[in-house]
Structure formats: C-alpha cells, structure tokens
Amino acid sequence: MALEIEKLLLTIIGKVSNDIRSLAEAPKGYDESDRTGYLEIFPEYREGLEGIEAGQTIMVLFWLHESPRDILKVHPRGNEENPMRGVFSTRSPVRPNPIGVSELEVLNIEGTRLQVRGLDVLHNTPIVDIKMKI
Amino acid sequence: MALEIEKLLLTIIGKVSNDIRSLAEAPKGYDESDRTGYLEIFPEYREGLEGIEAGQTIMVLFWLHESPRDILKVHPRGNEENPMRGVFSTRSPVRPNPIGVSELEVLNIEGTRLQVRGLDVLHNTPIVDIKMKI
C-alpha cells in the first residue's frame, strides 16, 4: 500500500495562546496542570467546533514543533535519575512524530477561541485536532 | 512563526495487521471493541518500544488513511438520525487531520510485533505513535 507524501502532511487548525514561554516552566503533563489559556482555532474551521460546550472535556492533539524527532530513548520526565526507556513507553514530547495529546476542560467559547484549563504546551504550539473525550 | 512544510510530514512507524477488512465491520471505537490483532512496528523503531510490557494499556495514534479531510460536520456514528455536529465534537474518523487515538491492551510482545486488544481500525492502517496511557 503506497502512501503519497502529500497525504501525510499535517494541516494546522489553530495555535495555542497562553503564558507558558519555556519548557522549564511547562507542566510535565495535562494531568499535572491547572494552567489556563486559549485554543485559537482558525476561522475556516469554525463549523467543526459545533457541539463543543463549556464544561466538556476535550482531547486536543498538538504538534510539538520544538521536539527532536530522531531520539528513541529518554530519561522519563527529563530526570537523569530515571533509567532510560523507549519513547513509546513514555509521554515524552521526544518521538518520531511529536504529537502531544492532552485532555482539557473547556471553560468558555467565544467564536473560534476556546478558553481551556490543563495546558502543558508552549505558547504558539500548533493544534492539529480536537476530539470529544471518551 | 513559520513552519517549514517538511517539518509537518508524518513518519509511519508501523502498520496494523488484523482481520478488519471494511469500515462496515469495524467497531465504532476502541471502547466498543474486543478485536485483537498486531501492531507491526518497523524494526528501526525497536529501541523506542523498550519498557512496553504485556498487560499494559497503551495509547496508539493511527493515520486513518482512507478518511476524507475536507468535511467539517458529520452525523455522529454515521447514523443519519443523529443531528449533524462539528467533527471536533465527535470521534469521527473524518477530520482535517485524520488521526485516530485508541487505548489498547498489550497481550503479547514478540520483538517489534505487539499483539493488542481493542482494535477499531482497518488492516494495514499506518501507525504514527505509541504513548503510555495516563
């Protein structure tokens, strides 16, 4: 089964706006974060947001654009005291396809701007998908 | 912030091997599936699997290569009796970036071949990431 390259190209649907400006100050995971901020979805995707409401938990997929893609083992949580493990057995942002998955609480919606709680990614991180949490 | 196109290109790390050959026979979600099969990870990613063990639940990201990317509203579960909703408020495979996220139970590991339970994707679906479930 051949896959054409253009079919594997991600489309950015929006960007994060928050006050996390460095990895050092980023929470290690959404489950450890109470940081709020905004998902600024581009207007052309407005229709796709219909049905999302304040109070819901959504699953958001980010493209972690500053993560290296060529490393297969890491010290979990970036702590050298933790023995090295394969990236696929961790939540490290380092991985061949640096997609981050966070579950966020929707606080408010203004058009295509979603205020959310639980952010663990940097300001300006590209957003590639939103799904309802199962 | 400009992103170069080649940086948004997904890398396939493996393929699914199972007996789901058509969308009609695919479960609607991993939470409704007891279908077993294999994640055939390409050998060059072997190191990244270290730490994954039978009995664990892993989060697997698939590239749903047969899903349309240009539709923003759907009838949830493909049932026309369900009112149309934005794809981002559903788990529909239809979305601008057709990435599926499933939580699967690891049954057995043979090298880079992981036997799993809970599959809801077609045979030959490309795999793009594996993470530990939070």
Side-chain angles (χ1 to χ4, degrees):
Chain A
M1 182 192 58
L3 275 166
E4 296 158 47
I5 280 187
E6 61 265 41
K7 289 193 177 167
L8 288 166
L9 201 57
L10 289 171
T11 300
I12 299 177
I13 65 164
K15 294 267 180 85
V16 171
S17 174
N18 68 8
D19 61 0
I20 305 177
R21 301 300 162 123
S22 72
L23 291 175
E25 55 174 313
K28 290 291 186 192
Y30 69 84
D31 54 326
E32 302 176 23
S33 171
D34 59 3
R35 304 288 282 266
T36 62
Y38 294 89
L39 308 180
E40 310 266 13
I41 306 302
F42 301 142
E44 59 264 41
Y45 297 104
R46 173 188 295 268
E47 267 191 77
L49 298 172
E50 289 179 22
I52 299 181
E53 295 173 9
Q56 291 175 340
T57 299
I58 54 176
M59 172 179 277
V60 184
L61 276 59
F62 302 102
W63 185 249
L64 305 171
H65 56 300
E66 298 197 3
S67 280
R69 303 181 65 172
D70 55 352
I71 293 172
L72 289 175
K73 293 184 77 173
V74 293
H75 295 286
R77 301 179 67 87
N79 181 345
E80 294 196 1
E81 292 183 9
N82 292 331
M84 296 272 276
R85 283 169 61 175
V87 293
F88 300 132
S89 78
T90 75
R91 296 291 287 210
S92 170
V94 174
R95 49 188 64 247
N97 293 300
I99 298 170
V101 178
S102 299
E103 293 183 3
L104 305 177
E105 181 189 355
V106 179
L107 300 176
N108 192 27
I109 302 173
E110 304 157 10
T112 57
R113 193 166 187 252
L114 279 62
Q115 188 184 27
V116 291
R117 178 170 18 230
L119 284 167
D120 56 345
V121 299
L122 295 172
H123 178 66
N124 260 340
T125 297
I127 300 165
V128 295
D129 198 17
I130 301 176
K131 298 180 191 300
M132 198 46 50
K133 177 183 184 311
I134 289 185
Chain B
M1 182 191 57
L3 274 167
E4 296 158 48
I5 280 188
E6 62 265 41
K7 290 192 177 168
L8 287 166
L9 200 57
L10 288 171
T11 300
I12 299 176
I13 66 164
K15 294 265 180 86
V16 171
S17 175
N18 67 8
D19 61 359
I20 305 177
R21 302 298 161 124
S22 72
L23 291 175
E25 55 174 315
K28 289 292 186 193
Y30 69 86
D31 55 325
E32 300 175 24
S33 172
D34 60 2
R35 304 289 282 264
T36 62
Y38 294 90
L39 308 180
E40 311 266 12
I41 306 302
F42 301 143
E44 59 265 40
Y45 298 105
R46 174 189 291 268
E47 267 191 75
L49 298 172
E50 288 179 23
I52 298 181
E53 295 172 10
Q56 291 175 341
T57 299
I58 54 177
M59 173 180 276
V60 183
L61 276 59
F62 302 101
W63 184 250
L64 305 171
H65 56 300
E66 298 198 4
S67 278
R69 303 181 64 172
D70 55 352
I71 293 173
L72 289 174
K73 293 185 77 174
V74 293
H75 295 287
R77 303 178 67 86
N79 182 344
E80 294 196 0
E81 293 184 7
N82 293 329
M84 295 274 276
R85 283 170 61 175
V87 293
F88 300 132
S89 78
T90 74
R91 298 289 288 209
S92 170
V94 175
R95 49 190 63 247
N97 294 298
I99 298 170
V101 178
S102 299
E103 295 184 2
L104 305 177
E105 180 188 357
V106 180
L107 299 176
N108 191 28
I109 303 173
E110 304 156 10
T112 56
R113 193 163 187 255
L114 280 62
Q115 189 184 26
V116 293
R117 180 174 11 234
L119 284 167
D120 56 344
V121 299
L122 295 173
H123 178 66
N124 262 338
T125 298
I127 301 165
V128 295
D129 197 18
I130 301 176
K131 300 179 189 298
M132 199 45 51
K133 178 184 184 313
I134 289 185

